[in-house]
Amino acid sequence: MTEEKFVDNPDHPLEITDSDIDQAITKYPFFVVDCWAQWCGPCRMLTPVVDSLAKKHQGNITFGKLDVDNNPATASKYGIRSIPNLIVFKDGQKVGDIIGAMPEDRLLDEINSYR
Amino acid sequence: MYDVIIIGAGPAGLTAGIYASRANLKTLLLGSSFNPSLITTTDIIENYPGFPDGISGFELVDKLTEQAQHFGLEIISHDVSSIEKISAEGSDAWEIWADQKNFQAYSLIFSTGAEYAKLDVPGEQALTGKGVSYCATCDGPFYREKDVVVVGGGDTAVQEALFLTKFARKVTLVHRRDRLRATGVLRERAEKNEKIAFVLNSEVEEILGDTVVSGVRLKDVNTPNSAKQLRADGVFIFAGYVPNTSLLTDIVEMDDKGYIITDDQMRTSVAGIFACGDCRQKLLRQVVTACGDGATAAFAAELYIDELKGTSYEGRTIDTK
Ligand SMILES: Cc1cc2nc3c(=O)[nH]c(=O)nc-3n(C[C@H](O)[C@H](O)[C@H](O)COP(=O)(O)OP(=O)(O)OC[C@H]3O[C@@H](n4cnc5c(N)ncnc54)[C@H](O)[C@@H]3O)c2cc1C
């Protein structure tokens, strides 16, 4: 199952959970996880932005989505206090947080600043 | 060339969109691609007529959008960055830039709403998203069994403080005045709620914390040089609003806070530009008044367009002056 999920160069954000996030962090050298929840308005605005970036930057940036309601361990491990919150992982390490919804070009700049 | 371009996709703009497209005006609504309507940040609207059980902000905006699209309203998610006056076939018209694209219309309806005012105190910006929040529905669930401070004394502050009691162990409401401004029902509910404590006559002077919020430093407004600290895991700020009207600076008349001044037909000081909802100067900023304004603005724009195109019916012009 999980082998199928973590394909090499996905063109869409992968559904990440508490139990497989570590595997994804290890596999993808530049990995951005969009932490969201159903009840969060700004998160809904960010969803199409993240989808679009995942497609445009396929093979370059890998995106994941994590529902904080169903995956509280990750939210607490990384000290998330606000969503939307994108956690940026580089070579298996957390290198930053991007907080709040923003337009696509600004989000891309923020992500790239962690390269 | 559009008859009307509406800027801002909150209750005011969407209602204007319903009315304008239903009136067969060629209408475009430009809404922000990343800033949702303020109403989506509340969990339940109890005072919007017709919904006795309340409705969530999101659901309401979704329904308004659906209703507007049903009448053929074109909606594009682009943030408007500038506005310029042009001339089209001898009439005044407006050119709008949004996301490096341009659009033109004979009339504009502004429904850009307002955004949260910042407290402007040390620690606020650095700790935003790390304990400082302006949205209880977004961030409340991260404060299960934690202690939070809510800043403000109006309806929004009290309503959101009540919402936060679902999660937090303790909610301390800090307000500058000696009593809350919030409406009776809300005030009563808050006073009865055992989780809510009040610190009145007090201002937040600093938000404390290294990487995450650890507390606030307060000043008693009646006692100079008094400082006290309050431990907290989160600080929710509801200290008023700033209108999103910078696009119209130097174009239409505004009050000293930047709210657009209109007459009761939602006409601004410039012919062809209308404003509705929270961005205009008015007494009560709520969904129901935003919707009312939106309907009026669309109808006034329709009359303006009719006049411009020389198709006005006798008796339909309402220039009351
Ligand atoms: C926490 C909270 C609780 C509330 N509870 C209630 C309640 O219970 N009942 C009630 O009636 N009211 C409530 N309100 C007030 C209500 O949200 C507002 O009165 C209402 O949303 C105003 O509608 P509007 O359409 O004027 O503006 P908004 O809903 O703010 O919409 C304006 C939109 O325009 C967009 N915009 C701004 N600039 C641009 C631009 N340049 N280009 C494109 N788009 C732009 C904004 O991003 C936003 O999406 C509450 C507000 C808050 C914050």
Side-chain angles (χ1 to χ4, degrees):
Chain A
M1 254 304 278
T2 43
E3 267 143 22
E4 221 176 89
K5 180 167 170 183
F6 293 137
V7 291
D8 271 345
N9 291 308
D11 67 349
H12 60 276
L14 304 166
E15 294 289 338
I16 304 298
T17 65
D18 278 349
S19 55
D20 60 21
I21 184 164
D22 287 339
Q23 195 191 339
I25 297 170
T26 320
K27 170 158 173 123
Y28 301 112
F30 197 53
F31 185 49
V32 179
V33 182
D34 173 13
C35 300
W36 70 284
Q38 199 65 47
W39 35 262
C40 158
C43 297
R44 292 223 231 165
M45 305 290 281
L46 205 59
T47 299
V49 175
V50 169
D51 288 351
S52 157
L53 285 176
K55 201 169 202 124
K56 287 186 192 154
H57 300 274
Q58 181 182 9
N60 221 338
I61 310 169
T62 307
F63 286 91
K65 285 180 77 69
L66 180 123
D67 180 340
V68 294
D69 270 349
N70 300 329
N71 300 286
T74 303
S76 104
K77 176 171 175 188
Y78 293 103
I80 290 173
R81 296 279 195 100
S82 177
I83 52 173
N85 184 324
L86 275 67
I87 316 175
V88 185
F89 295 97
K90 196 180 157 185
D91 303 325
Q93 295 294 322
K94 174 176 169 179
V95 288
D97 282 304
I98 301 168
I99 295 163
M102 57 189 84
E104 188 173 319
D105 49 347
R106 226 178 87 210
L107 182 59
L108 183 63
D109 286 347
E110 294 252 354
I111 293 172
N112 280 331
S113 72
Y114 291 108
R115 286 246 187 215
Chain B
M1 186 83 179
Y2 289 93
D3 290 326
V4 188
I5 291 180
I6 302 166
I7 305 168
L14 289 164
T15 305
I18 292 172
Y19 276 74
S21 38
R22 197 161 174 268
N24 276 341
L25 294 173
K26 192 165 169 0
T27 310
L28 170 68
L29 190 153
L30 292 166
S32 173
S33 61
F34 64 98
N35 256 335
S37 157
L38 268 193
I39 198 60
T40 64
T41 65
T42 195
D43 70 323
I44 184 108
I45 312 167
E46 286 187 333
N47 53 5
Y48 188 67
F51 294 90
D53 302 322
I55 180 168
S56 85
F58 241 109
E59 207 184 333
L60 183 67
V61 169
D62 279 353
K63 280 186 192 290
L64 287 168
T65 308
E66 196 188 315
Q67 193 174 356
Q69 283 171 332
H70 180 76
F71 293 114
L73 178 67
E74 183 182 351
I75 302 179
I76 304 182
S77 294
H78 278 340
D79 292 82
V80 174
S81 51
S82 75
I83 288 170
E84 224 174 286
K85 192 171 181 170
I86 54 166
S87 173
E89 292 161 31
S91 303
D92 283 350
W94 303 91
E95 181 166 67
I96 297 225
W97 284 88
D99 247 10
Q100 276 130 53
K101 293 182 195 70
N102 73 328
F103 306 90
Q104 297 175 343
Y106 289 111
S107 68
L108 301 179
I109 296 179
F110 258 78
S111 48
T112 45
E115 63 186 317
Y116 299 108
K118 304 264 152 61
L119 284 180
D120 243 343
V121 296
E124 181 180 19
Q125 200 184 339
L127 293 167
T128 293
K130 293 286 162 197
V132 173
S133 173
Y134 304 86
C135 176
T137 39
C138 303
D139 304 337
F142 296 109
Y143 295 88
R144 287 203 169 84
E145 293 306 309
K146 302 230 151 94
D147 298 336
V148 301
V149 164
V150 169
V151 185
D155 279 354
T156 302
V158 174
Q159 188 177 330
E160 300 307 294
L162 284 162
F163 174 74
L164 286 166
T165 61
K166 291 189 193 171
F167 309 100
R169 180 171 55 198
K170 187 173 169 203
V171 176
T172 306
L173 209 135
V174 175
H175 183 44
R176 220 165 354 139
R177 303 273 152 73
D178 59 357
R179 60 193 188 98
L180 304 178
R181 198 176 61 240
T183 203
V185 184
L186 289 173
R187 207 165 53 211
E188 255 170 44
R189 264 189 230 158
E191 279 160 4
K192 275 199 202 126
N193 193 306
E194 283 170 6
K195 283 190 174 177
I196 300 184
F198 299 89
V199 178
L200 300 174
N201 293 312
S202 296
E203 264 175 11
V204 172
E205 279 203 310
E206 184 180 357
I207 296 170
L208 309 165
D210 257 344
T211 51
V212 294
V213 168
S214 61
V216 291
R217 191 160 54 81
L218 300 175
K219 177 182 87 176
D220 186 323
V221 291
N222 299 322
T223 325
N225 303 323
S226 66
K228 99 173 179 194
Q229 288 194 9
L230 200 64
R231 209 201 63 77
D233 303 295
V235 182
F236 288 80
I237 299 170
F238 302 103
Y241 303 94
V242 185
N244 296 319
T245 54
S246 54
L247 286 171
L248 285 177
T249 310
D250 301 328
I251 301 179
V252 304
E253 255 175 57
M254 297 180 191
D255 68 11
D256 55 3
K257 290 190 180 128
Y259 288 102
I260 300 167
I261 296 173
T262 69
D263 64 9
D264 60 8
Q265 294 168 26
M266 308 302 135
R267 297 183 295 193
T268 67
S269 58
V270 174
I273 302 187
F274 303 83
C276 54
D278 279 12
C279 66
R280 74 178 190 99
Q281 187 192 57
K282 63 192 227 179
L283 180 62
L284 180 65
R285 294 197 175 82
Q286 289 278 283
V287 175
V288 66
T289 59
C291 293
D293 284 2
T296 304
F299 188 64
E302 184 188 350
L303 295 174
Y304 174 81
I305 295 290
D306 281 356
E307 186 114 325
L308 210 64
K309 293 185 174 173
T311 56
S312 68
Y313 295 102
E314 218 182 315
R316 246 191 120 177
T317 41
I318 40 150
D319 202 327
T320 48
K321 285 188 196 122

